[in-house]
Amino acid sequence: MNLTEAFWIFVMLSALQPIVRQKLLELHRMRTLARFEEKRESRVIALVHRQETMSLLGFPLMRYIDVHDSEEVLRAIKLTDPEVPLDLLVHTPGGLVLAAGQIAKALRRHPGKVTVFVPHYAMSGGTLIALAADEIVMDPNAVLGPVDPQIGDMPAASILRVVELKKPANVSDEMLVLADIAAKARIQVGVFVAEVLIKHMPKEKAVALATALTEGRWTHDFPITVPMARQLGFPVTTTMPRTVYDLMDLYPQGAKGRPSVLYVPLRPVMPERRETPKTP
């Protein structure tokens, strides 16, 4: 073998390495999911959006909840017996209201118990999905978020506020159209959230909570912590199974030049025991 042949073999192996690594990672994920299902006696579905290196060239890809996700989740729910519990691992910055709403409706109609696990965060559409669960299991440091609709990259509530503050003559036609869409979107999402919540709480409380989450009371990335979620009336517990964290380890962030966070995964060091002096 000459130097040129060795070079091209090296290039081919380097190109195939990401594909092989990704396939092995997916196999490991499926095995871990199967073990979790066996332990929980449930159908486990992972909806995880992390920045992963997917392509041959190693470019990272950031994903959100889209119609492809809703199709896959709905298919998984359809293949599950009605009385079998559903466990969803949700880790997402949010996504399309249509897709998240379809998943939430399917969860709400499922007769068996529905549990959503949130190890780190489930914002926007992820929170909408969590609201349909009978139980939300959160890490003590995990967060949810408001579900107020966004028109493009602008909050619907802020668009309406701007139109209210300005005189009609000073508002462009485009902004007036956006305001009309924003008003409809806020009502539609509010009604939908209330319908989801009515399954777990009285109608009056469901409407009040839906209003708080959709009216733009907070910024869209406002973190709803565990204590606040409980105060709002979410069915939150914090008993997170270790397997959920093991699964998250199988969804690494996209490759970087060097790690941003580094630590040695050791057991906690126990304080040295001091013997009590004995009296003679």
Side-chain angles (χ1 to χ4, degrees), residues 52-275:
E52 296 187 66
T53 304
M54 302 291 291
S55 67
L56 283 173
L57 299 178
F59 291 115
L61 177 66
M62 178 65 79
R63 294 193 57 225
Y64 301 86
I65 302 173
D66 56 21
V67 291
H68 175 74
D69 294 322
S70 62
E71 289 174 3
E72 293 294 328
V73 173
L74 294 181
R75 187 174 295 112
I77 296 174
K78 186 71 174 179
L79 295 174
T80 305
D81 291 336
E83 302 304 322
V84 173
L86 283 173
D87 292 334
L88 268 76
L89 166 58
V90 180
H91 177 83
T92 179
L96 294 178
V97 174
L98 170 63
Q102 283 185 298
I103 296 173
K105 283 184 179 179
L107 295 179
R108 184 176 179 273
R109 287 194 296 265
H110 186 72
K113 181 181 179 181
V114 176
T115 305
V116 169
F117 295 93
V118 183
H120 300 296
Y121 65 87
M123 306 299 287
S124 189
T127 299
L128 182 57
I129 292 171
L131 292 177
D134 300 300
E135 180 183 12
I136 306 173
V137 182
M138 297 175 63
D139 180 270
N141 298 307
V143 295
L144 302 174
V147 294
D148 56 306
Q150 308 292 294
I151 309 300
D153 58 351
M154 293 184 291
S158 297
I159 295 174
L160 293 173
R161 182 65 176 163
V162 168
V163 174
E164 290 173 0
L165 292 175
K166 289 188 174 184
K167 296 180 179 180
N170 299 329
V171 179
S172 66
D173 291 343
E174 181 181 1
M175 183 58 69
L176 290 174
V177 171
L178 289 177
D180 180 63
I181 296 173
K184 294 174 182 176
R186 193 162 67 169
I187 294 173
Q188 290 168 188
V189 175
V191 170
F192 177 78
V193 172
E195 291 176 351
V196 170
L197 293 172
I198 285 174
K199 181 181 178 181
H200 307 297
M201 58 183 64
K203 181 178 179 180
E204 295 76 12
K205 187 175 180 180
V207 171
L209 180 54
T211 301
L213 293 173
T214 61
E215 68 179 359
R217 180 177 303 182
W218 306 289
T219 60
H220 194 58
D221 59 352
F222 177 79
I224 298 177
T225 61
V226 170
M228 184 176 180
R230 287 173 172 164
Q231 185 179 4
L232 290 171
F234 294 4
V236 171
T237 63
T238 55
T239 309
M240 183 72 68
R242 175 57 192 242
T243 309
V244 173
Y245 299 110
D246 294 339
L247 276 168
M248 289 303 302
D249 289 339
L250 300 177
Y251 289 87
Q253 289 289 106
K256 301 177 181 179
R258 61 179 177 82
S260 300
V261 179
L262 195 63
Y263 63 95
V264 179
L266 297 177
R267 294 181 179 179
V269 179
M270 300 301 294
E272 183 179 354
R273 294 183 58 185
R274 296 182 179 179
E275 294 186 1

